[in-house]
Amino acid sequence: MLDLDRFKGYNDRNGHPAGDELLVAVSRAIESCIRQGDRAYRYGGDEFAVILPDSARQPAEEVSRRIRAAVEAIPDDSGGP
């Protein structure tokens, strides 16, 4: 499970279309990091769930690290903090 910190503020500051674009970018980042057979879902407003069937701890942690790095690499084009 993961959620986006301060997403509401981003959405309020930049508008819902920008928030939607950010959610799409996050979804694509997650999907680029998971393996065949894994599944990613938007769980709520800014929450996502990733299911890693039959995964041992070490490979699951590696997927988690890749997801975090990919999401952190999404450029912030909002001009704000």
Side-chain angles (χ1 to χ4, degrees), residues 32-79:
S32 75
C33 296
I34 61 176
R35 307 159 304 173
Q36 186 174 350
D38 296 342
R39 297 289 180 253
Y41 302 95
R42 184 173 171 204
Y43 186 74
D46 66 342
E47 299 170 328
F48 295 85
V50 178
I51 309 298
L52 308 173
D54 301 319
S55 184
R57 182 179 182 140
Q58 185 174 3
E61 288 176 347
E62 178 57 32
V63 170
S64 175
R65 283 190 290 274
R66 287 196 312 257
I67 290 171
R68 182 178 182 143
V71 170
E72 288 178 342
I74 296 171
D76 180 1
D77 297 330
S78 70

Side-chain angles (χ1 to χ4, degrees), residues 1-43:
M1 298 283 303
L2 65 126
D3 73 0
L4 305 179
D5 292 341
R6 300 177 298 279
F7 178 73
K8 182 184 181 327
Y10 179 91
N11 212 26
D12 290 346
R13 207 173 38 254
N14 300 297
H16 292 283
D20 290 347
E21 289 178 20
L22 179 59
L23 292 172
V24 169
V26 169
S27 297
R28 288 184 178 147
I30 293 169
E31 288 178 345
S32 75
C33 296
I34 61 176
R35 307 159 304 173
Q36 186 174 350
D38 296 342
R39 297 289 180 253
Y41 302 95
R42 184 173 171 204
Y43 186 74

